[in-house]
């Protein structure tokens, strides 16, 4: 009986160690670059998005696409768990402003709208006399990543689909009326690349 209990404890302990090891491995996914530098984001085919590549905000009023965007950040380590991207839009179907908000792409797949004063200066989309605002929020399992290229041309394609986002509509003639809603979406496909501090291309990957 004692040997059986000891055996059971040994097996249980081994299983626990393996579970911890696997859990640690699952949490260790991070972004990697060969040195510190700058990360930029654009659409897969270049700076301007084509058909199906726009950065789309979806609300009661339908899709509000932006066909051109610039995004970037400076990083000071070779390995980082998330990218906090200062993002700017142009060539949008409706006036779209980021306010004081930034997008955070976490290696875990979580997407966040964040920023110190994002709550008081949120993302704003103006559709005629209707104003739509997206404030701080976070959604898990909203981003998938795919490594591409080789060597210093390595990059990452991030496919974003964040659903059930909350937003506020104010003004007149808003589809669905005014108030707070939780059926918002943000979708996009963005290529992330890295440069050295001297603006020399370097590889960026996730693992």
């Amino acid at each position: 009986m004692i040997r059986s209990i000891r055996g059971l404890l040994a097996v249980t302990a081994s299983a626990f160690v393996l579970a911890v090891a696997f859990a640690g491995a699952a949490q260790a996914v991070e972004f990697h670059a060969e040195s510190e530098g700058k990360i930029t984001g654009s659409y897969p085919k270049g700076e301007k998005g084509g058909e199906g590549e726009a950065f789309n905000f979806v609300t009661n009023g339908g899709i509000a696409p932006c066909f051109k965007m610039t995004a970037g950040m400076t990083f000071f380590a070779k390995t980082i768990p998330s990218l906090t991207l200062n993002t700017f839009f142009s060539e949008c179907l409706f006036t779209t402003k980021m306010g004081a908000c930034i997008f955070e792409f976490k290696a875990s797949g979580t997407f966040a709208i964040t920023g110190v004063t994002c709550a008081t200066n949120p993302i704003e989309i103006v559709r005629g006399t209707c104003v739509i605002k997206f404030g701080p929020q976070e959604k898990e399992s909203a981003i998938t990543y795919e490594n591409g290229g080789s060597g210093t041309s390595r990059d990452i394609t991030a496919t974003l689909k964040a659903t059930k986002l909350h937003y506020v509509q104010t003004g007149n003639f808003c589809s669905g009326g005014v108030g707070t809603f939780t059926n918002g979406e943000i979708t996009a496909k963005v290529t992330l690349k890295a440069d050295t501090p001297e603006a020399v291309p370097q590889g960026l990957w996730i693992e």
Side-chain angles (χ1 to χ4, degrees):
M1 174 66 74
I2 293 176
R3 288 182 179 178
S4 298
I5 293 174
R6 286 177 177 173
L8 178 61
L9 290 174
V11 171
T12 303
S14 298
F16 176 76
V17 170
L18 286 173
V20 170
F22 280 119
Q27 295 172 358
V29 177
E30 294 181 300
F31 297 102
H32 303 271
E34 282 127 358
S35 71
E36 64 180 41
K38 183 178 181 180
I39 292 175
T40 58
S42 66
Y43 293 105
K45 294 181 181 178
E47 190 179 71
K48 183 175 179 179
E51 184 68 27
E53 292 177 359
F55 210 109
N56 297 310
F57 295 86
V58 185
T59 62
N60 287 336
I63 299 175
C66 288
F67 293 98
K68 192 173 182 181
M69 59 88 80
T70 56
M73 64 168 286
T74 300
F75 61 98
F76 301 97
K78 294 181 180 180
T79 301
I80 49 179
S82 64
L83 308 179
T84 50
L85 300 169
N86 292 300
T87 306
F88 304 91
F89 294 107
S90 60
E91 298 191 20
C92 300
L93 185 60
F94 304 99
T95 301
T96 302
K97 301 177 181 178
M98 282 295 291
C101 301
I102 57 177
F103 290 142
E104 183 175 10
F105 284 32
K106 297 185 180 182
S108 63
T110 295
F111 168 73
I113 300 172
T114 185
V116 177
T117 58
C118 179
T120 55
N121 190 8
I123 297 170
E124 186 176 282
I125 302 168
V126 180
R127 302 176 62 111
T129 57
C130 182
V131 179
I132 303 161
K133 297 180 180 181
F134 286 82
Q137 52 196 301
E138 184 174 283
K139 291 295 178 180
E140 297 180 352
S141 303
I143 312 172
T144 57
Y145 299 102
E146 182 178 354
N147 290 317
S150 61
T152 57
S153 67
R154 281 178 289 183
D155 58 25
I156 301 170
T157 297
T159 301
L160 167 65
K161 186 174 183 180
T163 62
K164 298 182 179 179
L165 298 174
H166 59 262
Y167 60 94
V168 177
Q169 292 189 162
T170 59
N172 299 311
F173 303 108
C174 293
S175 179
V178 296
T180 301
F181 302 88
T182 58
N183 61 338
E185 294 185 12
I186 298 179
T187 63
K189 183 175 283 189
V190 179
T191 296
L192 302 166
K193 298 183 178 182
D195 293 329
T196 67
E198 295 75 30
V200 177
Q202 65 166 318
L204 177 68
W205 70 97
I206 184 171
E207 63 180 15

